[in-house]
Amino acid sequence: MFCESCNEHPATVFISQIIGNEVTQFRLCETCARQRAEANYQANHNESGAENSEASLEEVVFGLFEEIEHRSDFFSRHEEEDSDEGNGFSMNEVFMELQSHPFNDDEFPSDEELADDLDEMDDLDEDFDNLPPELAAALDAANDSADDVFNASLDEIIKSNPFGDTSERREIAARRCPKCSITWDRLRQDGRAGCAHCYETFADQLHEVMQRVQHAPQHHGKKPRAAEKRRNRLEHLRARRDHRLEMLNRRLDEAVRAEKYEEAAKLRDQIKMVSSTIIQEN
Amino acid sequence: MFYFPVPDLQPPASESMSFPFIPTAFERTAKWMRRGGRESDIALSSRVRLARNLKRYEFPHHASPQELLTVRHKTFQALEFNQGTAGLNEIKLLPFEEFTGWERQSLIDRYLTSREHVGEELARGLAATPDASLSILINEEDHLRLQSLLPGLQLVPAFDLVDHVDDALESYFDAHGGLAYSQEFGYLTACPTNAGTGMRASVMLHLPALEISEKIERARKWAEGKGLTLRGTFGEGSKVWGHLHQLSNQVTLGLDEAEILMDVENAAQEICTMERQARAALPTRHSIETRDRIGRAYGALRYARRMGCREATECLSLMRLAHEINWAKGLNRQRFNELMVWIRPAYLQVMHGRAISGTERDTLRCELLGPHIAKIKLEAAFSVASGTRPRRVEAPEAKTENTSDDDSLHSKNEDE
């Protein structure tokens, strides 16, 4: 339905005025309502210095607008400061917060702590039930507009957190070491790995653990000589392969320049074969 | 003397290669008890432990008994094979199934192993030299824990000792699947807090003055700031017995061995300095308290007929302090080190040969200590009280009416 006064814009402000037994209803668009309120407010206050015993309708509306504006200012201001406190808390965020401590059981909130958090959130809801209706309506309106801002930042959080994606989290929870078949949860609970292969299976999680618990997640210091010999051999093989590639490339260039295309084709195949071999430790 | 094994007790029949009876496996005086190393007045021993695992088998917590038996068998073979290497020529192999609970417990008393290790007997074992300077725990938390135990503060020689054994065993195990090692995480251990170098370097420090002057918390926090822990030795979970504290590194990954050793050694040096300063201040700052404690300890040790292990350890620790600050003399450091182990319950039990009750042990303890304590003499410096002397309190005037010559409790006068 359209605004009563301008008939152009849709009506968004609906006022029911009840004086005694008399009920009057107005349907106005925001602009018209504001204009009317301002005009009448000015008129009333210019006429007489004394206050009117009855607050006029326009004054009430104008006052309401002011309140609404104040409230929405309040929300947008606080949204920037801390987005995970107060009523901007979603269950999704709670789970992500819990997931982001992979190892140290001391930091994992206990069941009691979790229950306390949820109870606190329930208490907040109770307070909201007792607000005067206009204020509640105004708050709802403000919340709706702020939601868009909030949802955008939530997406960002999900993307940055490696465990944020639910499917990946499920995959990690289900992953078992191929040798001793323990899960990451089991490792965390016992505080012990099951076998040497666990370090490979859960490399990322353990990397994070080491970062927190140890000095650095990379080993310096004594290496077993066999491992060192193997690595030296790998280096040696890689160097040889690179050298061979270099030589083949050189010959290819020469062949192309000398227009010996058959030879060039053969060389090209050889290069493709050599460069596709991957030398790595098993 | 009761601390030699009872003659009619036969060792269990076992194979040729040294599976001996525990009391005969070890010398009464271990290497760490003797003279050696620096700061011997405060640092009693230095220990370096390397944790290693075999790649092919699951870690002891998860492995099947067959796997664990294989690991132990292979380790014994590796040690036999390497008998010629430095330090391994005298090594004795002790599979736990062959020993009673008390004998296994006595290994804890000798500072060789932990409660978790001796709790289980299947497929666990220990290989050690008779002077306990070098030992290898098999299937404790990891497959192999090589450790060296030397007197005083000498972490680098302790590390060298255990390093050579590590090299020797590694080259043997290369032919049997190799050790568990990764480029990123270093030597792989059951507990990620041990991974990397797998090395735990610790120094046992005797800190009675810091405890009496209540500065021990400050020392502990200072050590934690350096990434080290200062905990009690005996008793798990940092309970301190006999003012003995163990300083060890917490981090094993990301630093190389030389750095870790240097950190622990420097910190130990610093704490020794703190303790020495505190000891120098005791006669003046804490005169009455120190004298009181030492006096009581001396009295108890000298005249008690039964004493529990904890009390005896505390008393011996205070007598040791008295010796170090020249308020007493008669015993040397080695004797204190020896007594500290000889009074422990499992050690007493095993040395005595037959099962005895707690009370009997308490009596034996005092019998053992008797002749040694008798050698202690308190010096004059101990008896002289320095600082303010309390005012002499006047005795109340004697009333002449009701006094009688017979001052006994049983009054003859019925009217009284």
Side-chain angles (χ1 to χ4, degrees):
Chain A
M1 60 187 76
F2 284 101
C3 168
E4 279 175 338
S5 61
C6 63
N7 257 321
E8 282 176 29
H9 306 285
T12 52
V13 181
F14 300 85
I15 301 173
S16 309
Q17 182 184 0
I18 306 169
I19 303 175
N21 281 330
E22 211 182 336
V23 181
T24 349
Q25 280 191 317
F26 298 87
R27 299 183 307 268
L28 302 169
C29 70
E30 209 180 312
T31 344
C32 296
R34 205 186 287 265
Q35 277 172 0
R36 231 202 250 187
E38 262 180 352
N40 278 317
Y41 185 81
Q42 298 282 11
N44 279 344
H45 279 241
N46 282 341
E47 267 177 33
S48 60
E51 289 177 36
N52 290 344
S53 52
E54 277 178 19
S56 71
L57 171 68
E58 286 78 11
E59 274 174 283
V60 170
V61 171
F62 195 63
L64 205 56
F65 269 107
E66 278 186 310
E67 266 219 293
I68 290 173
E69 272 182 65
H70 279 154
R71 290 281 159 184
S72 48
D73 272 351
F74 174 83
F75 273 116
S76 53
R77 233 184 300 129
H78 282 249
E79 211 60 46
E80 285 143 26
E81 280 170 38
D82 37 15
S83 53
D84 36 324
E85 270 186 7
N87 46 350
F89 218 89
S90 77
M91 281 314 292
N92 211 359
E93 269 213 296
V94 173
F95 281 121
M96 283 193 302
E97 186 59 24
L98 299 177
Q99 282 287 346
S100 65
H101 297 290
F103 189 79
N104 195 341
D105 270 2
D106 290 342
E107 291 182 37
F108 196 82
S110 63
D111 284 339
E112 293 81 38
E113 285 176 66
L114 283 180
D116 284 348
D117 273 338
L118 295 175
D119 282 346
E120 243 180 57
M121 288 179 358
D122 284 345
D123 286 343
L124 284 173
D125 281 347
E126 273 180 355
D127 288 332
F128 278 15
D129 289 332
N130 296 330
L131 287 173
E134 315 99 38
L135 190 50
L139 286 175
D140 283 346
N143 262 342
D144 288 339
S145 64
D147 255 359
D148 299 319
V149 175
F150 180 67
N151 284 332
S153 53
L154 191 61
D155 282 340
E156 264 181 83
I157 294 170
I158 290 175
K159 280 193 198 97
S160 65
N161 189 334
F163 300 150
D165 196 60
T166 22
S167 62
E168 206 181 307
R169 236 185 303 134
R170 247 182 283 128
E171 190 268 318
I172 289 166
R175 199 193 296 175
R176 281 180 180 273
C177 171
K179 194 144 171 278
C180 60
S181 74
I182 61 166
T183 57
W184 173 245
D185 253 343
R186 185 74 201 278
L187 197 155
R188 215 163 39 107
Q189 258 177 346
D190 287 342
R192 293 178 185 170
C195 67
H197 206 266
C198 293
Y199 280 82
E200 221 175 299
T201 316
F202 303 110
D204 300 316
Q205 291 90 320
L206 282 168
H207 185 93
E208 243 183 84
V209 168
M210 296 305 188
Q211 213 145 30
R212 273 191 306 132
V213 171
Q214 299 273 11
H215 189 260
Q218 174 59 46
H219 174 61
H220 297 285
K222 186 176 180 191
K223 309 179 202 318
R225 282 161 319 172
E228 198 155 2
K229 263 189 261 166
R230 216 180 306 132
R231 209 169 336 104
N232 289 342
R233 181 155 173 72
L234 282 174
E235 296 286 319
H236 185 65
L237 285 174
R238 283 200 192 104
R240 232 183 3 168
R241 184 195 63 183
D242 293 337
H243 184 73
R244 173 172 271 175
L245 269 177
E246 212 186 292
M247 184 201 61
L248 286 172
N249 275 315
R250 223 178 336 114
R251 283 220 211 135
L252 180 67
D253 288 335
E254 281 173 20
V256 166
R257 247 180 286 133
E259 296 185 12
K260 293 186 185 143
Y261 293 116
E262 267 187 31
E263 200 180 313
K266 259 188 258 169
L267 282 167
R268 193 200 54 205
D269 291 334
Q270 268 187 319
I271 290 174
K272 206 187 282 184
M273 203 176 58
V274 171
S275 54
S276 70
T277 56
I278 305 168
I279 300 174
Q280 54 174 204
E281 41 187 312
N282 44 341
Chain B
M1 299 267 238
F2 76 91
Y3 44 71
F4 285 111
V6 179
D8 51 336
L9 212 56
Q10 290 298 323
S14 45
E15 297 157 31
S16 56
M17 171 73 191
S18 49
F19 290 150
F21 196 34
I22 281 200
T24 56
F26 292 105
E27 295 168 7
R28 271 173 51 216
T29 307
K31 177 111 186 245
W32 71 267
M33 297 174 181
R34 296 184 197 274
R35 198 179 293 204
R38 304 189 327 266
E39 323 284 347
S40 311
D41 54 339
I42 299 169
L44 301 193
S45 69
S46 305
R47 186 169 75 165
V48 174
R49 182 266 282 155
L50 298 179
R52 301 284 186 258
N53 283 289
L54 303 184
K55 199 199 281 199
R56 256 191 214 162
Y57 308 102
E58 294 181 25
F59 296 154
H61 194 63
H62 281 263
S64 64
Q66 291 88 324
E67 277 186 308
L68 293 178
L69 285 169
T70 318
V71 168
R72 186 178 66 182
H73 184 65
K74 287 215 190 311
T75 310
F76 282 170
Q77 280 184 327
L79 289 167
E80 283 191 31
F81 184 79
N82 278 304
Q83 266 179 78
T85 326
L88 290 179
N89 48 348
E90 290 184 320
I91 209 145
K92 299 216 167 25
L93 311 175
L94 312 171
F96 278 3
E97 291 93 341
E98 308 224 349
F99 301 105
T100 62
W102 279 112
E103 287 170 319
R104 300 200 301 270
Q105 183 85 15
S106 73
L107 295 173
I108 302 180
D109 294 344
R110 291 173 198 260
Y111 289 108
L112 287 178
T113 182
S114 67
R115 201 153 293 157
E116 291 85 37
H117 194 210
V118 303
E120 273 291 326
E121 60 175 27
L122 181 62
R124 266 72 174 173
L126 180 81
T129 52
D131 63 355
S133 60
L134 186 60
S135 51
I136 298 160
L137 309 182
I138 302 169
N139 288 331
E140 194 218 12
E141 196 182 71
D142 298 294
H143 290 150
L144 298 170
R145 284 204 166 177
L146 298 77
Q147 56 185 31
S148 63
L149 192 52
L150 293 180
L153 180 61
Q154 42 174 337
L155 283 172
V156 175
F159 174 70
D160 286 336
L161 196 61
V162 102
D163 191 28
H164 289 305
V165 178
D166 183 36
D167 289 341
L169 290 180
E170 178 208 312
S171 50
Y172 182 88
F173 284 122
D174 271 344
H176 296 261
L179 294 177
Y181 175 84
S182 89
Q183 261 281 70
E184 189 185 356
F185 296 117
Y187 287 100
L188 305 178
T189 52
C191 205
T193 50
N194 281 325
T197 55
M199 183 173 85
R200 184 101 26 204
S202 20
V203 183
M204 188 164 25
L205 299 164
H206 184 229
L207 306 174
L210 284 179
E211 281 196 43
I212 292 177
S213 51
E214 293 180 342
K215 295 210 178 88
I216 197 71
E217 266 311 305
R218 195 202 294 180
R220 189 171 298 144
K221 290 218 169 60
W222 178 84
E224 272 175 33
K226 302 260 168 196
L228 311 167
T229 56
L230 189 64
R231 289 185 297 203
T233 333
F234 279 130
E236 264 129 33
S238 69
K239 241 204 257 186
V240 179
W241 281 40
H243 312 113
L244 287 170
H245 298 256
Q246 190 166 304
L247 175 74
S248 44
N249 63 308
Q250 276 191 309
V251 165
T252 53
L253 177 64
L255 297 167
D256 71 356
E257 283 85 358
E259 262 188 276
I260 295 175
L261 290 171
M262 193 177 67
D263 283 341
V264 180
E265 189 140 342
N266 287 344
Q269 196 79 60
E270 185 61 42
I271 294 182
C272 287
T273 315
M274 280 192 228
E275 169 73 13
R276 250 178 235 120
Q277 281 173 348
R279 284 187 189 181
L282 280 182
T284 44
R285 279 273 185 84
H286 301 270
S287 166
I288 300 293
E289 188 187 347
T290 318
R291 287 185 164 83
D292 178 50
R293 286 213 208 182
I294 291 178
R296 281 170 197 264
Y298 178 71
L301 284 172
R302 192 84 165 74
Y303 298 110
R305 297 304 173 97
R306 285 199 303 222
M307 209 189 281
C309 181
R310 173 126 203 208
E311 189 187 348
T313 315
E314 298 277 332
C315 293
L316 276 176
S317 161
L318 286 162
M319 290 321 299
R320 190 188 198 125
L321 171 67
H323 277 70
E324 296 289 352
I325 58 179
N326 296 319
W327 282 357
K329 64 178 188 199
L331 298 179
N332 59 13
R333 285 179 192 149
Q334 177 176 320
R335 184 62 76 202
F336 275 115
N337 290 338
E338 290 168 340
L339 288 174
M340 208 165 71
V341 172
W342 289 353
I343 58 171
R344 301 207 43 91
Y347 191 99
L348 275 177
Q349 178 80 65
V350 168
M351 279 315 185
H352 194 68
R354 61 173 178 84
I356 45 179
S357 70
T359 334
E360 277 187 272
R361 272 203 303 277
D362 290 348
T363 322
L364 274 174
R365 192 169 286 123
C366 289
E367 283 181 31
L368 167 64
L369 286 170
H372 301 287
I373 302 298
K375 294 188 199 147
I376 299 181
K377 272 198 266 289
L378 293 172
E379 299 279 281
F382 169 71
S383 315
V384 173
S386 61
T388 50
R389 197 176 278 210
R391 262 183 317 120
R392 262 189 65 194
V393 179
E394 291 294 323
E397 277 189 23
K399 298 198 182 92
T400 42
E401 292 127 41
N402 290 338
T403 42
S404 62
D405 287 323
D406 183 5
D407 221 41
S408 64
L409 275 176
H410 308 289
S411 173
K412 293 208 182 87
N413 301 355
E414 296 261 72
D415 317 325
E416 215 23 54

